[in-house]
Amino acid sequence: MIPLHSATTNKPKRPTSIAWQPTLTVGLLIVLLHSWQLGTPPLAGTEGHRALTADQMVQSGNWLVPHLWDNVYLRKPPLQYWLIASLQSITGISNPWIWRIPAVLCTGLLAASLVAFASWLAGKKAGWCTGLAFACLLPLWGQSRSADIDAANTCFAVIAALGLLSLQHKTIHLKQTLVLMLIVFIGVAATLMLKVHAGMPVILGAWVMPSCLDYKSSRKPWDWRLWLPLFIGVIPLLVWSYLVYQQFQDNVGQADTRGLTEMSNNVTGHMKDYLKALLLPMMLLAYALPVSLGLIVMQRWLKGVVDLTPQTRRLLRYLRSTVILSVMVYLLAATHKPRYAYPVLPLLCPIMGIFLSQWLSLQQANKWQQVTTKLVGVFLWMLVIGHVILQGVLIHLNDHVTATGIIALSIAIIAGVSSEWHLRKSQFTGALIGLAVVLATLTVPIAQMRIHEQQRGGVIAAQSLIDLTRDRPQQIILARKVAYDQPELFYYAGRQTSSLPPSLDVQTILKGHAQCTLVLHPSEYELIQDALEPYLIKQAQMPMHDRQLWVVWLDADAQHY
């Protein structure tokens, strides 16, 4: 086997700054691609919890304490609401596109940060390849097209981890050190203000692992450059928590704080969750294919590479160890759903990006080049075949063919054939460009599939609610559990909605609203069914996802019959 270093002709210069061309270009392209038909799908899942809470912040002017349908909503810290509400206030527009674009912008920022990190370590070509590797992480595409919290959490957690790893570079001067410390502070503070603990494993891994791997030459965790931004990053969450407690210390028990319970359960865990979590590493490796292959081959590959500086090779080892430790922390927290550990996946991109940049520099054939060429070809045609399958499924579901879908599929096939031709000619740059085009065209069927899936959410149920309450359009709708679980139902119904008291006491309800319509979860209806009868005008059932909700009309002056 020919050593990798002997197969290269020109050794890249040691990078001294970020390559801004790939950094800005990749970030912008990611934003543009993920914005395709962004506002078309209706809100679904937990999107309504973020979007409508932010909307109520704007309407009420209370940006300190999140509310959802008149109730204090403390299930998550407020940063995601602030991001959405800020954009809504600036634009004056309130719709799903505005509510989702912060997630797209965070995904673009994450991609740009990874490219900047790789180009700083190994040059412009490594930056471009890292951007391509990030585009290959298809599991992240879903969270980037959602108003939910995950895209921002992944973004800021990874940025903080990259900042901590960059601080391990001994050649940076004081100004760069202060900038990196500021980046770490922002990343840590934002991560805690988004989802508290969920993104912290990658940050803790980047903080602790270098000294465990290389105690003599690394900065220790108690180095002021490392611990100071971490310590200060906790302060915004503590200040916000204190202010909320001071304002609502008398009735904060009525707030929705299930997120705190969820965090506690995740930390303590249950035995069955630990058993499920044992599959997490393999699932993450599978989800991150082909990018995760860089983690597997890195150790042997680095031994033959001399085009990278010792500092760069050391930071790549730190990066790999950070990934491993992060997964171990998620295992200890009994995390068995892969999407909760998605912040680990982007850390693989610089490893694969630098590996691909070295592959592009090869001038003579060797074993690693041949294996990599075959893997690129296999992944390329997996994407093309997946594109064909998605288009077939969409045609079956919608009973018609869209011109946009056919054009995207045609471009994907042409790009795939072109990329394969370049691979056979050992023209690797052209092959990767073709691969990037195939990835870009996948945006079309993925967006169309998301539109189809989310049509089954709150929109259909909202139409049922509109039909049921058509003869009482001015009557207020009251709900509690349903308002917390499916808030988008009432948004799409376009009806005035308020929250039921926690006690669900019928007398208390009628004192506040002599005539009202209740939307009840089956468990709520069973609890107060007998108390409703003296005031009952009419009741009906309404489908919502996998259950039947109860719609009940009450009148304080009604006579039981």
Side-chain angles (χ1 to χ4, degrees), residues 379-396:
F379 181 65
L380 170 71
W381 287 108
M382 285 176 60
L383 290 177
V384 175
I385 293 171
H387 198 148
V388 173
I389 293 172
L390 278 176
Q391 285 296 340
V393 171
L394 286 167
I395 292 172
H396 174 74

Side-chain angles (χ1 to χ4, degrees), residues 72-200:
V72 179
Y73 186 70
L74 300 177
R75 198 167 186 179
K76 292 288 187 293
L79 183 56
Q80 179 72 8
Y81 314 135
W82 289 347
L83 293 174
I84 297 174
S86 298
L87 195 58
Q88 182 174 325
S89 298
I90 292 170
T91 61
I93 300 173
S94 173
N95 60 33
W97 191 92
I98 287 293
W99 296 334
R100 290 181 178 128
I101 197 63
V104 174
L105 295 175
C106 285
T107 303
L109 176 62
L110 173 58
S113 301
L114 291 165
V115 171
F117 180 77
S119 66
W120 181 62
L121 288 182
K124 181 188 290 187
K125 190 179 293 185
W128 286 114
C129 292
T130 299
L132 178 61
F134 180 79
C136 291
L137 289 177
L138 298 182
L140 298 185
W141 287 33
Q143 69 178 24
S144 69
R145 298 182 61 85
S146 169
D148 214 335
I149 206 167
D150 297 306
N153 179 66
T154 300
C155 170
F156 288 107
V158 171
I159 286 176
L162 294 178
L164 286 168
L165 290 171
S166 300
L167 285 169
Q168 292 288 346
H169 207 296
K170 295 295 185 67
T171 61
I172 58 176
H173 50 70
L174 180 60
K175 183 179 178 181
Q176 290 177 317
T177 298
L178 294 177
V179 170
L180 288 172
M181 290 176 65
L182 177 62
I183 290 173
V184 173
F185 160 71
I186 293 173
V188 172
T191 301
L192 293 174
M193 289 292 285
L194 282 162
K195 219 172 176 181
V196 190
H197 67 297
M200 291 306 294

Side-chain angles (χ1 to χ4, degrees), residues 507-536:
Q507 297 289 340
T508 303
I509 295 171
L510 293 174
K511 283 181 181 178
H513 305 281
Q515 295 181 334
C516 57
T517 302
L518 309 186
V519 179
L520 301 173
H521 187 272
S523 62
E524 294 175 319
Y525 178 80
E526 183 179 350
L527 185 65
I528 63 172
Q529 181 178 3
D530 295 337
L532 293 172
E533 289 190 10
Y535 311 100
L536 187 64

Side-chain angles (χ1 to χ4, degrees), residues 164-384:
L164 286 168
L165 290 171
S166 300
L167 285 169
Q168 292 288 346
H169 207 296
K170 295 295 185 67
T171 61
I172 58 176
H173 50 70
L174 180 60
K175 183 179 178 181
Q176 290 177 317
T177 298
L178 294 177
V179 170
L180 288 172
M181 290 176 65
L182 177 62
I183 290 173
V184 173
F185 160 71
I186 293 173
V188 172
T191 301
L192 293 174
M193 289 292 285
L194 282 162
K195 219 172 176 181
V196 190
H197 67 297
M200 291 306 294
V202 296
I203 297 175
L204 295 177
W207 179 39
V208 173
M209 204 60 197
S211 63
C212 296
L213 189 67
D214 190 6
Y215 186 81
K216 290 184 178 180
S217 57
S218 66
R219 298 193 196 277
K220 309 305 181 290
W222 52 86
D223 189 304
W224 67 274
R225 302 169 186 84
L226 301 180
W227 69 259
L228 185 60
L230 293 176
F231 176 79
I232 299 176
V234 179
I235 295 177
L237 178 63
L238 296 178
V239 171
W240 174 78
S241 302
Y242 175 77
L243 293 175
V244 170
Y245 176 77
Q246 288 296 312
Q247 186 168 344
F248 284 92
Q249 57 182 333
D250 295 330
N251 62 350
V252 74
Q254 300 178 4
D256 185 351
T257 57
R258 285 178 289 176
L260 301 178
T261 304
E262 178 184 350
M263 180 181 71
S264 176
N265 291 337
N266 286 343
V267 172
T268 56
H270 301 283
M271 183 54 65
K272 63 178 182 180
D273 293 332
Y274 283 117
L275 294 176
K276 293 179 183 177
L278 293 176
L279 297 174
L280 181 67
M282 297 305 299
M283 294 176 71
L284 289 176
L285 285 173
Y287 280 24
L289 285 173
V291 181
S292 55
L293 292 175
L295 185 70
I296 299 172
V297 305
M298 192 192 86
Q299 184 63 37
R300 187 173 180 183
W301 163 60
L302 278 179
K303 290 179 180 179
V305 177
V306 296
D307 288 349
L308 302 177
T309 66
Q311 286 279 17
T312 297
R313 286 186 287 178
R314 188 163 58 89
L315 287 179
L316 284 175
R317 286 194 293 268
Y318 293 168
L319 190 58
R320 183 189 63 171
S321 302
T322 297
V323 171
I324 295 172
L325 181 62
S326 302
V327 173
M328 292 176 61
V329 174
Y330 281 117
L331 283 175
L332 292 175
T335 303
H336 56 276
K337 294 182 179 180
R339 69 183 183 90
Y340 293 154
Y342 277 0
V344 172
L345 301 186
L347 294 176
L348 299 171
C349 294
I351 299 174
M352 177 55 78
I354 295 174
F355 174 78
L356 286 177
S357 69
Q358 296 293 316
W359 173 63
L360 290 174
S361 301
L362 292 174
Q363 302 297 323
Q364 301 177 25
N366 63 40
K367 179 181 178 181
W368 286 110
Q369 183 199 50
Q370 294 169 359
V371 171
T372 305
T373 302
K374 290 179 180 179
L375 289 175
V376 171
V378 169
F379 181 65
L380 170 71
W381 287 108
M382 285 176 60
L383 290 177
V384 175

